[in-house]
Amino acid sequence: MTSLGGAEMVDWNLAVATASRLVRPGPEVSRDEARAVVAELRRHAKSSQEHVRSFTGMGTEQTHDTPVLVVDRAGWIKANVAGFREILKPLLEKMQDKRGSGPGGAVLGAVGGKVTGVELGMLLSFLASRVLGQYETFAPATRDLPAGENGGGRLLLVAPNIVHVERELEVDPHDFRLWVCLHEETHRTQFTAVPWLRDHLEGEIQSFLGETEVDPMTVLERVREAAQTFAGGRSEAQDEEAAEGGRSLVELVQTPAQREILARLTAVMSLLEGHADFVMDGVGPDVVPSVAEIREKFAERRARGAGRLDQALRKLLGLDAKLRQYRDGERFVRAVVREVGMDGFNRVWTSPNTLPTKAEIAKPADWVARVHRKGD
């Protein structure tokens, strides 16, 4: 366990315990119904593989070595804490090297890992009731949560959340479960059919974390500036500018170098999420009879949120930006496929140099001109 000044940086066990205690209970289902939901999700996950490969032309051979895990909210929490521990390890080691250097070291040391663990647990408790599925790219294998061999991830389907949403939307549950599986299977296909994608994404994330300010007083100053921003400590013009940019609390505590990296990460995530949405809707008419109704109702639910508190937290945490990634990325994929076909779009997976920039996500024609002109 990485430590700072003798105190644990993050009490991971406390994070799991806090999130599991605070997360809202799932919908009421009988034991037989729960077993039926789990079995159906596993069947849909398996059948989705061929649907996605046929539609996208990716991964024509069996390349998946990643397990499909149908979990409850507590299982999702445990899996994500394990992922956090893995991806944050270099940053925590960097902070350990800096312990005791600077006047603020004692401040963060006094805060300790238990406070950080509680804060992380509170965040995960909020998210655990909202995620339907997730492809964990950097998931380490544990006794309870297996992962793929040779660095492969795992596919999580959060059964209580899927049941909750299908009931809330009043859609056909069998169609909705398959529709969700198509989206998550697309993510699994992206990473298993494109060998360099995982390493590229991990490299960008580690570069982002490597730019993190580790001087405690600098961190505190950035947090203070962010707090003043959200407390109304700026002019009306600045507030309007921030609203147009959609910057979250997370973005406000970043360095300029991190914002450049984030722009590239945003473009990649927009591509991946938009591609998954495009595929799930493209496959849908053939295998999901009510796909049009599901898409319409689900899009309305995404847009409105669950209430004022939910909307405020989404903006604060940057989740609104993720919703824009679905929308903007899907528009990019749709426009490119319309212009150059699926094979032409698949040039995006050639190398990191053929990934779209953030500007090209907004202007797909620029990506087509750059990549296809060079290719031709």
Side-chain angles (χ1 to χ4, degrees), residues 200-212 254-269 358:
H200 172 73
L201 192 58
E202 183 177 17
E204 290 283 60
I205 292 172
Q206 292 304 331
S207 296
F208 181 88
L209 295 176
E211 292 292 333
T212 299
Q254 291 164 4
T255 66
Q258 283 178 313
R259 293 191 186 109
E260 292 182 6
I261 300 170
L262 182 66
R264 297 196 298 269
L265 279 170
T266 297
V268 175
M269 297 310 298
K358 190 175 180 181

Side-chain angles (χ1 to χ4, degrees), residues 247-285:
R247 289 174 64 186
S248 67
L249 178 61
V250 177
E251 292 172 295
L252 287 167
V253 298
Q254 291 164 4
T255 66
Q258 283 178 313
R259 293 191 186 109
E260 292 182 6
I261 300 170
L262 182 66
R264 297 196 298 269
L265 279 170
T266 297
V268 175
M269 297 310 298
S270 296
L271 170 69
L272 299 180
E273 297 293 0
H275 182 235
D277 264 13
F278 177 78
V279 171
M280 71 194 296
D281 288 347
V283 173

Side-chain angles (χ1 to χ4, degrees), residues 176-211:
F176 184 75
R177 294 165 195 172
L178 176 55
W179 189 69
V180 171
C181 287
L182 288 169
H183 182 102
E184 302 308 330
E185 176 58 34
T186 302
H187 285 318
R188 184 163 65 160
T189 298
Q190 291 163 348
F191 283 95
T192 55
V194 184
W196 54 264
L197 183 58
R198 181 187 185 277
D199 289 341
H200 172 73
L201 192 58
E202 183 177 17
E204 290 283 60
I205 292 172
Q206 292 304 331
S207 296
F208 181 88
L209 295 176
E211 292 292 333

Side-chain angles (χ1 to χ4, degrees), residues 60-98:
T60 53
E61 298 180 359
Q62 180 64 32
T63 57
H64 301 317
D65 69 340
T66 54
V68 176
L69 306 180
V70 182
V71 298
D72 57 11
R73 291 171 178 177
W76 181 88
I77 289 168
K78 291 178 182 178
N80 276 265
V81 167
F84 275 131
R85 292 187 69 168
E86 184 73 14
I87 202 69
L88 292 177
K89 189 181 299 181
L91 174 61
L92 296 182
E93 290 175 351
K94 179 180 178 181
M95 296 184 75
Q96 182 184 26
D97 293 339
K98 288 284 186 177

Side-chain angles (χ1 to χ4, degrees), residues 14 29 39 70 155 175 188 195 207 215 228 273-274 284 295 310 312-313:
L14 183 58
V29 295
V70 182
L155 184 63
D175 284 3
R188 184 163 65 160
S207 296
D215 175 65
Q228 290 174 351
E273 297 293 0
R295 166 55 68 192
D310 184 78
L313 287 171

